[in-house]
Amino acid sequence: MDGTRPVRSRIDINHDGRVDRWEYYDAAGKLAKVGFSRKGAETPDAWAYSTKDGRIDRVEVSSTADPARIDRWEHYDPSAPPAQGSVEGAGPLVRVEEDTNHDGRPDKWEQYENGAVTTAEF
């Protein structure tokens, strides 16, 4: 906390004694992003960003768990109902960008429809 304004929080969602959700708040005290670990580690390696109404818009992933080195960007349709098997609260996955050679720029692009890749560009 910074006075009465939340800055960040750490949560043990499954009550196993380890933090598995990291929440980060903006200057106005509103939730800006939520960190989580796709590998079940004790540090986040992915961060979900929501729309103003709380639906997930995108997820940024770092294969090194470094928030400054994002190498996968997943984009979801926040106007659609939550998709089965997707990130909690997310609509269907619509596109993914990846930085496969870790130079800081996407070099792989995928489009999705109904949970399946429809096009892939390199």
Side-chain angles (χ1 to χ4, degrees):
M1 301 287 289
D2 180 11
T4 60
R5 182 180 62 86
V7 176
R8 65 182 171 273
S9 66
R10 307 292 186 254
I11 303 166
D12 176 9
I13 298 253
N14 61 7
H15 308 288
D16 67 353
R18 296 181 348 172
V19 173
D20 42 31
R21 180 180 171 107
W22 296 261
E23 295 179 346
Y24 304 88
Y25 297 85
D26 64 17
K30 295 186 76 174
L31 184 62
K33 66 182 177 179
V34 174
F36 56 99
S37 174
R38 291 185 168 196
K39 300 174 185 174
E42 293 187 24
T43 58
D45 58 18
W47 297 266
Y49 295 84
S50 301
T51 61
K52 290 182 181 182
D53 63 355
R55 297 294 310 276
I56 294 178
D57 179 51
R58 77 181 189 282
V59 172
E60 296 182 352
V61 181
S62 170
S63 59
T64 62
D66 179 352
R69 296 190 58 144
I70 302 299
D71 50 19
R72 181 178 171 92
W73 299 264
E74 299 175 353
H75 299 271
Y76 296 86
D77 180 356
S79 65
Q84 183 178 10
S86 71
V87 174
E88 184 180 325
L93 180 64
V94 291
R95 78 178 195 276
V96 172
E97 300 164 359
E98 281 189 69
D99 174 12
T100 63
N101 62 4
H102 306 287
D103 69 353
R105 298 179 309 203
D107 48 45
K108 178 182 174 186
W109 300 267
E110 298 173 341
Q111 297 289 327
Y112 288 76
E113 215 172 280
N114 299 318
V117 175
T118 57
T119 60
E121 299 176 34
F122 303 86

